[in-house]
Amino acid sequence: MTYKGHFRIWRGDEEGGSLEDFEVEVNEGEVVLDIIHRLQATQAPDLAVRWNCKAGKCGSCSAEVNGRPRLLCMTRMSIFSADEIITVTPMRAFSVIKDLVPDVSYNYTKAREVTSFTPPEGLGPGEYRMQQEDVERSQEFRKCIECFLCQDTCHVVRDHEENKSAFAGPRFLMRAAELEMHPLDAADRRDDAQDEHGLGMCNITKCCTEVCPEGIKITDNALIPMKERVAGRRYDPVVWLGNKLFKRGS
Amino acid sequence: MTEVERHSYDVLVIGAGGAGLRAAIEAREQGLRTAVICKSLFGKAHTVMAEGGCAAAMGNVNAGDNWQVHFRDTMRGGKFLNNWRMAELHAKEAPDRVWELETYGALFDRTGDGRISQRNFGGHEYPRLAHVGDRTGLELIRTMQQKIVSLQQEDYRDLGDYDARLKVFSECTVTQLLNDDAGAISGAFAYWRESGRFVQFDAPAVVLATGGIGKSFSVTSNSWEYTGDGHALAMRAGAKLINMEFVQFHPTGMVWPPSVKGILVTEGVRGDGGVLKNANGERFMFNYIPDVFKGYYADNPEEADRWYSDPNNNRRTPDLLPRDEVARAINTEVKEGRGSPHGGVYLDIASRLSDEEIERRLPSMHHQFKELADVDITSEAMEVGPTCHYVMGGVEVDPDTGAADGVPGLFAAGECAGGMHGSNRLGGNSLSDLLVFGRRAGSGAAGYVSSLTERPTANQAQVDEAARAAVEPFGAGETYENPYTLQSDLQRLMNELVGIIRTEGEMSEALTKLRDLAERARHVGIEGNRQYNPGWHLALDLRNMLLVSECVARAALRRTESRGGHTRDDFPKMDAEWRHTLLECTLDGESVTVTPGEQVPMRADLLELFELTELEKYYTEPELVEHPARTGAQREEGAP
Ligand SMILES: Cc1cc2nc3c(=O)[nH]c(=O)nc-3n(C[C@H](O)[C@H](O)[C@H](O)COP(=O)(O)OP(=O)(O)OC[C@H]3O[C@@H](n4cnc5c(N)ncnc54)[C@H](O)[C@@H]3O)c2cc1C
Ligand code: SF4
Ligand code: SF4
Ligand code: FES
C-alpha cells in the first residue's frame, strides 16, 4: 500500500530554523528513516540526518518524532495513520548543528569523566574467570548503543542547560554502575557518582528507561542500586565493606 | 588558496572500527602521537553491527581446538587462495587479542567454568566464536572506545590534556592521501562533515582501516560508510588492490519488507540450531554439499541434529557450510521455484529451540524481526536471502607489519586490506582479523616512524588540488546529475550484473555502463552549502564507489573460474591454475589495470597440516611434489 504522507521537518542551523512541510510517498513496511532518505533523494538533497546501520544497532539516528525521542530507523510508519502529520525534530536537549543533526559532544565529554575499567591486580590476560550470572548485570548496561535518547529525555538537563556541567546523565551514571557491578573491576566509583556525576540530582522518574530503545532498565537496575550503594557507603561503613568483599554474591 | 586547518601527528589512523581502534591503541602505547579520523561519530563504525562473534581457537568449549585447526578451517573457507602467512598469524594470535579485550573491560558470555564461551559458526570445526549474545561487534567497539578513553584519562592525569597523545577526529572524511616527491606518505587531506571546512593532517605514516565497499550493491548489509574509500585512497596513492573479484554474499539477509531488504540475519541463528528450508519444507542444504567438503558434513538430518549435542561422533549440519556455498544454494532454490513468497527461503529456529532460549541467545534478531517485519521468530520461520556483506579484496599488505606494497608509510588493516580471507571469509574471522592485524599495523606504523631520520614534507600543490577537487560538485552548471540517482543506478547495476552469479556478457555490459556512470558523475551537482550536506558527501563518495566497482568488475571478468565469493556461470568449476594466481588492480592515470601475480607458495610445515588427498582437490600436481606424503611415497617406491 502506497500513499502520500505528510511530514513536517525541522530545518535550520544554530542560528535558527523552522518546520518545513513535505508531501512524500510512503510504502508498506517503511520506517521514518526511509522517508527522510526519500526526501533527500527527491526533494531536499542537503537535508542533514545521522544514520549508519538502519537496524537499531548503532544509535546514530536519534531524533524526536511527534515530540517523542526515538530512533528514526526503528520507527515504523505503520504506527501512524495515513492522514496524520508527522513532525520530526532534532533531539531537544542538545544544540543543533543542522536540520536533524544535533551537537552531542556533551555525551563524549561526560564519557571521559567516568573512571575507566580498572583491571584487577595479579590477573593476566586469559586468567579472568567470571560466572555468567555475575556478568549479566553489567552486560545489560553494555547493550547501550549510545543513542543518547535517555540523555535527551532526562528532565534534569532537557530544559536545563545550566545543570549539564554537574550532571553526567542516565547513560553515564549507568556506566559508573556497570563498572561497579563488574565482577573484577578494582576501582570504587561511588563517591564520584555522587559528587562528580550528579547521581543525587536524579529523582528516579524513570523517563530515561521509557525511551531506551534497548529496553535497558536504567533506573531500576542501574541508578537505584547505585544510589543504594552510595547511601551504604556514606552512612554505614560495615555495609560498604560487606558490599565490596561480597560483591559477587550481592 | 583555500584556508585549511592543520594538524601534525606521528601516526594517522583512518577509520574507527575494530581495526582502526586497535591500531591506534597500539601506536599510542608504543609512544607515538596518534590521531584517529572517522566519518561517523566515535563508536558508530560498521564494526558495531557485527553480531555473531569473534573467532579465536581458545579451546574453551572444545579442548580439541588449537591454532592449527583454525588455520586449516580458514584456508578451506577461502579455498586455499588465502595469504597463508596472514592466516597463520591470525590463527595463532587471535586468542591473545580476545583475552586482552577482557583486560580492557569486555564482558563476553561465559562457559560453566567461568571462561569465555564460544559458539559454532559456518566452516569452523569447533565452537570457536567468542560472543556476547548477538551483539559482539558492539562489545568490541565499545571496549576499545573505552580503552581509548582510559588512555586519554592517563594523558589528562600526566599532561593535563585528554587529547595530548591520542585524539579522535570524528565526522571528518579523508578525501585524499598526501605524499612527498619520492612517493612516501606525508599525511592526508580531509573535510569536517559538520562545517565543510578543510583539514590537512601532516604525518609520516597512515593506517587505512576504512572497512568495505558493499554500499555499491543495492541489496546489502552494509551502511552508507561502505563506499570503498580506503581502497580508492590507497590506489590513488600508488598501492595495489588484490582479490577484488571476491565479494561475499551472506546467505541470510532479510528479504521483506522491501525497506529492510539486505539487513543481516546472523549466522548465529544456524550456529545455535536454526535450519534452512524451502517452500516444500525440505532441508535442502543436504543436496548442496560440494565435493571438496564431502565427508566433513552430515548427509542426513538425523546425524546433523545429533551433531549439536554430540559433535565428536557426528558430522556437522550442511546448514553451516561456508557462506558462498549456502548463498549459492539459496539462489538455486529460489531460481528453481522453491522459494518463499518474497523471494527467499525459510530459516527456522522457532521449531528448534524454546521461546526462552531464542530470546536469550538471539535477542537482537528477535527484536529486529518483531520491530521491522512483524515476525515473531519464536513462533514463525524467518524469510531470508543472500545480501552483499563483505569484500575479501583489499590493499595488498605485508602480513607481519600491514605495510602496503610500494607506498612507504602506508599501512592497511581490517576489511580494507586483502589476502587474509582468500576467496571467502569465514564468519567470525573478521572481528579477529581486526584485532590481530589492527595491532600489527599500528605496530608496523610505529616502527616505520621510529626508523625515519627525516619527516616527509607536504606538497602544497597537492593540497590545493585536493581542495579544488572537493568543491567541484558546487560548481556544476545549470543542469547536473543528482548524486542520489547516480548512486542508486550504480547499486542496481552492480547487483544485477556483477552480483552473486556472473557471466562474461554481463560483466562486459557492466563495464560499459560503469563508464557511462563515471561520465555522468563528472557532472554531479548539489544544492545548499558546505555545512553538513549529505548530497555533497555522497557526491564525493561516489568517486570512490565507481573506482572500486570498476576493480570488482574488471577482476571478475578476468578470473575465468568459480571460487568462493566469485561464481561464474560460464566457468562453473574451480581451476587449480587459478589458485596460485592473484589479480592485482592498480591505477594508471585514470584507468584501472588488472595484472595477474603469483601467490607465494605455502611454507612446508603449514602444507603438512593438510592431508594430501585434500590438497589434491585444490593444488596443481607440481605444487605438491614437496609434500611429505608424496616424498615419503616416493621413498617407499624406491625402497628395496
Ligand atoms: C551486519 C553485519 C554483521 C557482521 N557480523 C560479523 C560477525 O559476527 N563476525 C565477524 O567476524 N564479522 C562480522 N561482520 C563483518 C565485520 O563486522 C566487518 O568486516 C568489520 O567490522 C570491519 O571492520 P573495520 O575495522 O575494517 O572497518 P569498520 O568498522 O567499518 O570501520 C571503518 C571506519 O573507517 C571510517 N572511514 C571510512 N572511510 C573514511 C574516510 N574516507 N575518511 C575517514 N574515515 C573513514 C569509518 O567512518 C569507520 O570509522 C559483520 C558485518 C555486518 C555488516
Ligand atoms: S530516572 Fe533519573 S536519570 Fe532517569 S530520567 Fe529520571 S531523573 Fe533522569
Ligand atoms: S541507555 Fe538506552 S537510551 Fe540511553 S544511550 Fe544507551 S541505548 Fe540509548
Ligand atoms: S541507523 Fe543505527 S540505530 Fe538507527
Side-chain angles (χ1 to χ4, degrees):
Chain A
M1 193 193 64
T2 296
Y3 66 92
K4 283 267 178 229
H6 307 284
F7 277 76
R8 195 163 280 173
I9 296 178
W10 196 88
R11 300 215 59 190
D13 55 27
E14 64 210 331
E15 266 142 43
S18 61
L19 290 168
E20 267 182 43
D21 286 297
F22 295 95
E23 284 229 329
V24 54
E25 183 184 307
V26 178
N27 302 309
E28 188 175 5
E30 288 184 333
V31 294
V32 174
L33 187 60
D34 290 313
I35 311 303
I36 305 284
H37 285 159
R38 184 163 301 123
L39 282 173
Q40 287 180 327
T42 56
Q43 305 180 35
D46 61 342
L47 171 60
V49 65
R50 280 199 186 101
W51 69 285
N52 275 48
C53 67
K54 206 176 168 286
K57 295 191 164 72
C58 72
S60 304
C61 64
S62 309
E64 300 189 4
V65 183
N66 293 345
R68 186 183 156 87
R70 284 176 169 284
L71 295 178
L72 297 177
C73 73
M74 296 303 278
T75 304
R76 292 191 64 182
M77 288 303 297
S78 57
I79 65 172
F80 308 107
S81 60
D83 52 3
E84 201 171 334
I85 295 176
I86 298 163
T87 306
V88 188
T89 48
M91 285 192 283
R92 192 168 93 194
F94 312 114
S95 62
V96 76
I97 292 172
K98 187 179 156 196
D99 302 339
L100 301 175
V101 175
D103 175 357
V104 292
S105 55
Y106 160 70
N107 301 288
Y108 290 93
T109 306
K110 294 298 171 187
R112 279 175 169 181
E113 291 169 1
V114 181
T115 304
S116 293
F117 172 69
T118 310
E121 292 277 336
L123 274 191
E127 293 170 0
Y128 285 37
R129 296 288 178 275
M130 297 176 264
Q131 292 303 313
Q132 183 61 35
E133 61 194 41
D134 297 328
V135 298
E136 254 157 27
R137 291 181 301 179
S138 296
Q139 278 186 331
E140 179 190 6
F141 310 142
R142 290 183 73 79
K143 288 196 311 198
C144 170
I145 57 175
E146 299 207 327
C147 64
F148 309 130
L149 288 172
C150 58
Q151 306 281 89
D152 178 45
T153 307
C154 176
H155 64 94
V156 178
V157 286
R158 186 162 167 94
D159 288 309
H160 296 280
E161 193 63 30
E162 72 280 6
N163 284 342
K164 280 189 177 167
S165 65
F167 188 63
R171 187 322 172 214
F172 298 102
L173 289 168
M174 177 178 91
R175 166 75 173 143
E178 171 211 316
L179 289 164
E180 268 302 296
M181 297 180 197
H182 187 299
L184 292 175
D185 174 77
D188 183 348
R189 291 169 193 76
R190 288 172 297 177
D191 279 343
D192 278 1
Q194 193 69 9
D195 304 336
E196 309 292 327
H197 311 318
L199 181 61
M201 294 164 92
C202 159
N203 54 357
I204 56 173
T205 56
K206 303 196 186 183
C207 314
C208 51
T209 305
E210 271 166 37
V211 297
C212 177
E214 286 295 302
I216 303 170
K217 300 223 163 31
I218 309 170
T219 324
D220 287 350
N221 293 351
L223 306 181
I224 294 175
M226 197 63 186
K227 279 173 178 279
E228 284 167 0
R229 287 178 184 225
V230 169
R233 170 169 175 68
R234 297 271 152 132
Y235 304 119
D236 188 350
V238 178
V239 172
W240 171 77
L241 197 66
N243 278 348
K244 203 66 195 169
L245 289 177
F246 303 108
K247 210 165 161 187
R248 266 194 42 189
S250 68
Chain B
M1 213 182 72
T2 0
E3 207 179 304
V4 179
E5 175 185 332
R6 204 160 167 179
H7 300 278
S8 177
Y9 284 92
D10 296 327
V11 175
L12 209 60
V13 178
I14 308 179
L21 297 185
R22 190 61 191 82
I25 291 168
E26 192 64 19
R28 155 65 179 76
E29 288 197 320
Q30 296 200 12
L32 282 93
R33 279 192 76 239
T34 305
V36 180
I37 312 172
C38 54
K39 296 207 276 190
S40 298
L41 291 172
F42 189 26
K44 309 293 181 199
H46 218 273
T47 300
V48 86
M49 295 160 71
E51 296 165 355
C54 175
M58 297 181 284
N60 290 354
V61 171
N62 189 320
D65 206 8
N66 56 42
W67 77 262
Q68 288 93 338
V69 187
H70 192 181
F71 171 77
R72 278 201 297 262
D73 288 346
T74 301
M75 294 299 296
R76 280 178 193 136
K79 302 264 159 65
F80 286 81
L81 188 102
N82 318 50
N83 179 308
W84 50 265
R85 174 65 178 160
M86 290 176 98
E88 177 196 11
L89 290 170
H90 170 258
K92 283 182 172 164
E93 294 177 6
D96 286 336
R97 297 288 82 75
V98 171
W99 286 321
E100 189 170 67
L101 291 180
E102 287 198 301
T103 69
Y104 299 173
L107 283 176
F108 291 101
D109 287 348
R110 318 305 299 178
T111 59
D113 61 355
R115 293 184 293 171
I116 296 173
S117 173
Q118 301 188 266
R119 71 154 46 112
N120 279 309
F121 236 55
H124 293 281
E125 186 169 340
Y126 295 114
R128 188 177 284 146
L129 271 67
H131 59 273
V132 187
D134 50 7
R135 56 160 191 87
T136 314
L138 173 64
E139 187 67 14
L140 246 79
I141 277 276
R142 203 64 84 227
T143 298
M144 287 194 276
Q145 178 183 352
Q146 288 164 348
K147 173 67 180 177
I148 283 181
V149 165
S150 100
L151 291 168
Q152 292 177 324
Q153 289 174 344
E154 264 175 38
D155 289 347
Y156 182 72
R157 263 196 311 275
D158 300 346
L159 307 161
D161 177 5
Y162 286 109
D163 297 325
R165 292 191 291 176
L166 177 52
K167 183 173 161 95
V168 180
F169 293 79
S170 62
E171 300 204 300
C172 186
T173 304
V174 172
T175 60
Q176 199 180 322
L177 298 178
L178 305 173
N179 52 281
D180 68 6
D181 297 336
I185 288 293
S186 64
F189 181 86
Y191 65 87
W192 287 108
R193 290 163 59 78
E194 186 178 307
S195 60
R197 286 202 323 270
F198 294 138
V199 201
Q200 176 182 345
F201 292 94
D202 295 303
V206 165
V207 178
L208 291 171
T210 52
I213 68 161
K215 202 60 195 171
S216 295
F217 293 78
S218 50
V219 180
T220 180
S221 66
N222 294 175
S223 84
W224 69 268
E225 292 201 304
Y226 267 25
T227 50
D229 293 7
H231 290 78
L233 292 171
M235 262 186 121
R236 293 196 194 101
K240 273 184 239 158
L241 306 186
I242 51 167
N243 298 348
M244 290 306 289
E245 64 275 35
F246 299 110
V247 177
Q248 180 168 83
F249 291 82
H250 194 292
T252 61
M254 292 176 80
V255 296
W256 200 90
S259 80
V260 301
K261 193 164 180 172
I263 292 182
L264 194 75
V265 179
T266 176
E267 193 166 308
V269 175
R270 282 171 286 138
D272 286 355
V275 293
L276 292 162
K277 292 179 178 167
N278 63 20
N280 308 329
E282 290 155 358
R283 288 173 62 177
F284 57 85
M285 280 311 298
F286 293 100
N287 308 330
Y288 291 92
I289 305 173
D291 283 344
V292 290
F293 290 119
K294 285 239 159 77
Y296 300 98
Y297 287 82
D299 50 17
N300 61 83
E302 294 71 33
E303 180 178 352
D305 283 350
R306 284 196 305 268
W307 167 79
Y308 289 101
S309 54
D310 182 11
N312 293 333
N313 296 307
N314 295 285
R315 291 168 301 174
R316 60 183 23 232
T317 172
D319 290 291
L320 287 172
L321 274 161
R323 290 178 175 170
D324 51 326
E325 310 290 355
V326 184
R328 272 192 298 270
I330 294 176
N331 205 60
T332 308
E333 286 296 305
V334 174
K335 218 152 126 192
E336 294 179 357
R338 294 184 296 274
S340 66
H342 301 102
V345 294
Y346 294 106
L347 174 58
D348 172 25
I349 186 89
S351 74
R352 315 261 313 163
L353 289 183
S354 71
D355 295 7
E356 300 76 52
E357 276 292 283
I358 295 171
E359 283 180 51
R360 192 178 67 76
R361 293 206 216 180
L362 301 162
S364 63
M365 286 303 107
H366 183 245
H367 183 72
Q368 178 174 314
F369 273 87
K370 201 161 198 150
E371 295 294 318
L372 296 174
D374 287 325
V375 168
D376 178 357
I377 68 167
T378 63
S379 57
E380 299 163 75
M382 297 162 249
E383 263 187 272
V384 295
T387 178
C388 178
H389 186 58
Y390 185 90
V391 63
M392 273 66 74
V395 182
E396 179 162 47
V397 293
D398 172 63
D400 291 73
T401 62
D405 196 26
V407 187
L410 186 62
F411 297 79
E415 193 168 340
C416 75
M420 159 69 205
H421 306 286
S423 67
N424 173 55
R425 173 180 71 90
L426 292 185
N429 266 2
S430 172
L431 293 183
S432 40
D433 164 1
L434 309 181
L435 299 173
V436 169
F437 294 104
R439 175 180 154 280
R440 283 190 164 269
S443 165
Y448 169 81
V449 174
S450 313
S451 76
L452 292 177
T453 47
E454 209 178 346
R455 297 224 162 190
T457 46
N459 172 340
Q460 188 58 43
Q462 201 181 22
V463 174
D464 293 342
E465 170 54 23
R468 190 203 58 76
V471 294
E472 220 170 32
F474 286 101
E478 287 282 290
T479 55
Y480 53 77
E481 293 283 344
N482 176 335
Y484 298 96
T485 312
L486 269 175
Q487 186 192 33
S488 78
D489 289 352
L490 171 66
Q491 291 167 332
R492 200 158 349 109
L493 182 166
M494 290 303 285
N495 223 77
E496 284 169 11
L497 302 178
V498 200
I500 179 164
I501 310 285
R502 300 162 173 176
T503 63
E504 178 178 342
E506 287 182 345
M507 283 184 295
S508 305
E509 186 187 337
L511 284 166
T512 314
K513 290 191 164 167
L514 279 170
R515 204 168 321 126
D516 296 344
L517 280 181
E519 183 50 34
R520 281 170 59 197
R522 292 158 61 105
H523 305 287
V524 67
I526 47 189
E527 287 173 25
N529 59 26
R530 274 163 64 180
Q531 200 189 358
Y532 219 114
N533 186 337
W536 178 40
H537 304 162
L538 179 57
L540 298 180
D541 290 345
L542 267 173
R543 298 172 180 172
N544 301 331
M545 298 173 86
L546 283 162
L547 177 59
V548 171
S549 296
E550 185 180 340
C551 291
V552 175
R554 282 204 188 283
L557 180 61
R558 190 72 176 257
R559 185 174 283 273
T560 48
E561 66 155 352
S562 292
R563 180 185 298 271
H566 170 65
T567 305
R568 289 280 300 252
D569 218 17
D570 42 359
F571 295 93
K573 289 227 155 52
M574 192 157 69
D575 175 352
E577 288 298 345
W578 271 110
R579 192 211 59 82
H580 53 88
T581 309
L582 300 182
L583 293 175
E584 304 170 349
C585 297
T586 46
L587 197 60
D588 186 7
E590 298 232 321
S591 61
V592 174
T593 315
V594 180
T595 327
E598 269 296 301
Q599 172 93 276
V600 181
M602 198 191 294
R603 228 174 46 226
D605 60 309
L606 295 176
L607 204 60
E608 283 171 27
L609 295 174
F610 299 92
E611 298 281 340
L612 189 59
T613 47
E614 179 173 18
L615 294 174
E616 281 166 351
K617 297 175 184 169
Y618 299 95
Y619 280 69
T620 61
E621 268 308 305
E623 289 175 294
L624 294 175
V625 290
E626 297 295 335
H627 194 278
R630 206 36 71 83
T631 44
Q634 274 162 5
R635 221 174 297 124
E636 267 169 32
E637 267 172 329

